[in-house]
Amino acid sequence: MNQYTQEHTHSYYAASAHGLAPFPTLTEDLVADVCVIGGGFTGVNTAIELAQRGLSVILLEARRIGWGASGRNGGQLIRGIGHDVSGFARYVGAEGVRYMERAGGESVELVGRRIRENNIDCDLRWGFCELANTPAQYAGLKAEHAQLIESGYAHETRLVEPGQISQQVVNSDLYAGGLIDMGSGHLHPLNLVLGEAQLAQSLGVRIFEQSPVLELVHGSTVQVRCAAGTVRAGSLVLGCNAHLEELEPKLSGKVLPAGSYIIATEPLSPELAAQLIPHNLALCDQKVGLDYYRLSADRRLLFGGACHYSGRDPRDIAAYMRPQMLKVFPQLAAVRIDYQWGGKIGITANRFPQVGRLGQHPNVYYAQGYSGHGLNVTHWCAKLLGEAIHAGHSQGFDVFSAVPHMTFPGGRALRSPLLALGMLWYRMREVLG
Ligand SMILES: Cc1cc2nc3c(=O)[nH]c(=O)nc-3n(C[C@H](O)[C@H](O)[C@H](O)COP(=O)(O)OP(=O)(O)OC[C@H]3O[C@@H](n4cnc5c(N)ncnc54)[C@H](O)[C@@H]3O)c2cc1C
């Protein structure tokens, strides 16, 4: 199975997607205020934000809308942006850090609003539990809970003691406690991005699929060249994340692509599903190469994790992931796996998303590098890009773009082995305690 064909990968999501009717391929020379490259959450939502502000937008996608991580991910819509943003105070000040923390919650509300106001049918369910693998991690969750309460977080949150986990959250004896957050949840990501593409189209965005951008010619007007047509635009947005590659090497050098994998079981009986995850929460643990899992609307267990850092995908994803699933749920030994797929996460050195414009070409904007936590963050970054391109200024854009980002040494050939080495180090620390 080649998961990197021009069509959607053979996932549970593609098999249960609504309205996969294709958009046309670019075959003419067009002009727009803004050209957006990439048809994932970043690109589609930036197009929406720009069109809502009255700008004309053309979106170019190399394969299909949602073909990348946006249509393949775990579907976990989880509060927060980045990892311990207090460390960025020296770049953005205390007020900037508070902005980032607020955005962590508001970005989830933004996704919820987009779904609600536009009736996007994507199986949204509220409720998430972050699981501790060790007592030390549970102590960390207690501190996180106290912070949430102190910050006035608007949603129900609750700590779950180790002895209560299997009754209240997940029927597994692996965990040392958990933190439930009813302001986070889970959804069908491909149906979300497809619904958003329809919204973009209804706002006047011209969308083209199977239209890989081959070359950019920079200037006060940017020329964007595909095989059979071009777009000339005053501004350009790069929303290609881990798939940017050689189109803009200076940017792709700041992101390490890492593989993450998901299996989907056959539909479980209502009794078994309720026994495994009694309140249908999204679940995620805290191991390196974490396990993330949840039930689909038709009661399949979607079990993801096991980041692959070598740059090579496992030949048989189900054979690779099934033992991980059975560690959590040995009771599923006889259950069939119906789907298996993988996708590319864009990891950054500081785990904060990269938002900004190219120094030498200020009319070229980008957002990328969500480090495996992009569902809410892509939507927030799209809003920042929309504000900045429309008004020439955005407080949030200024805060996010003030965080500096490292270019990984070694170019494309060395980046993945480097990541493999780095993760081996973290895994050793985990094992050695
Ligand atoms: C397996 C997996 C599980 C994940 N689970 C979660 C989760 O549960 N919760 C969460 O918050 N995040 C999760 N993530 C991360 C999240 O999916 C991403 O952060 C997010 O989808 C990134 O969106 P994007 O639009 O920036 O990139 P993508 O969705 O990858 O889209 C980039 C698009 O750009 C296109 N493109 C690239 N080059 C060109 C070109 N030259 N011309 C035209 N188009 C081009 C690609 O074809 C692609 O469609 C997961 C990621 C993976 C891979």
Side-chain angles (χ1 to χ4, degrees), residues 119-325:
N119 294 318
I120 299 177
D121 180 4
C122 62
D123 306 333
L124 173 63
R125 290 290 306 245
W126 292 110
F128 160 69
C129 185
E130 190 173 358
L131 296 161
N133 300 85
T134 62
Q137 287 175 357
Y138 187 45
L141 291 182
K142 285 182 179 164
E144 189 180 331
H145 186 230
Q147 264 177 8
L148 280 173
I149 290 173
E150 195 190 311
S151 71
Y153 185 60
H155 303 276
E156 179 195 341
T157 55
R158 188 161 54 83
L159 285 165
V160 186
E161 292 292 329
Q164 302 294 311
I165 285 283
S166 48
Q167 287 274 314
Q168 296 184 13
V169 179
V170 48
N171 192 0
S172 172
D173 55 11
L174 274 190
Y175 302 110
L179 171 57
I180 292 178
D181 168 13
M182 295 309 290
S184 298
H186 58 101
L187 51 75
H188 188 307
L190 182 55
N191 278 336
L192 174 57
V193 71
L194 290 173
E196 290 173 333
Q198 277 166 8
L199 169 63
Q201 192 181 33
S202 75
L203 292 167
V205 175
R206 286 168 286 172
I207 298 179
F208 297 92
E209 291 181 318
Q210 307 296 1
S211 304
V213 173
L214 305 173
E215 191 191 4
L216 305 174
V217 182
H218 293 288
S220 55
T221 298
V222 191
Q223 272 191 53
V224 178
R225 201 173 64 73
C226 297
T230 62
V231 176
R232 282 156 34 91
S235 302
L236 176 69
V237 173
L238 296 170
C240 303
N241 200 28
H243 300 282
L244 181 63
E245 299 181 359
E246 297 310 312
L247 192 61
E248 191 49 69
K250 284 210 177 90
L251 275 188
S252 48
K254 292 178 187 291
V255 165
L256 284 167
S260 186
Y261 306 96
I262 302 182
I263 49 177
T265 66
E266 62 184 303
L268 307 176
S269 68
E271 297 73 31
L272 180 55
Q275 191 211 343
L276 295 185
I277 306 177
H279 299 289
N280 196 4
L281 305 177
L283 296 153
C284 185
D285 74 3
Q286 298 182 53
K287 292 200 314 265
V288 176
L290 34 87
D291 291 341
Y292 51 90
Y293 51 93
R294 66 187 184 91
L295 294 168
S296 64
D298 60 354
R299 296 186 311 275
R300 298 169 189 276
L301 181 71
L302 306 189
F303 191 95
C307 252
H308 233 235
Y309 306 101
S310 68
R312 281 189 305 277
D313 292 334
R315 199 180 279 253
D316 182 344
I317 291 169
Y320 184 68
M321 289 302 300
R322 192 188 175 88
Q324 319 289 333
M325 178 185 82

Side-chain angles (χ1 to χ4, degrees), residues 40-42 61-63 69-70 73-76 213 243 292 343 370 372 374-375:
F41 289 133
T42 300
E61 163 54 48
R63 294 96 174 179
S70 300
N73 63 60
Q76 307 216 356
V213 173
H243 300 282
Y292 51 90
Y370 307 99
L375 225 161

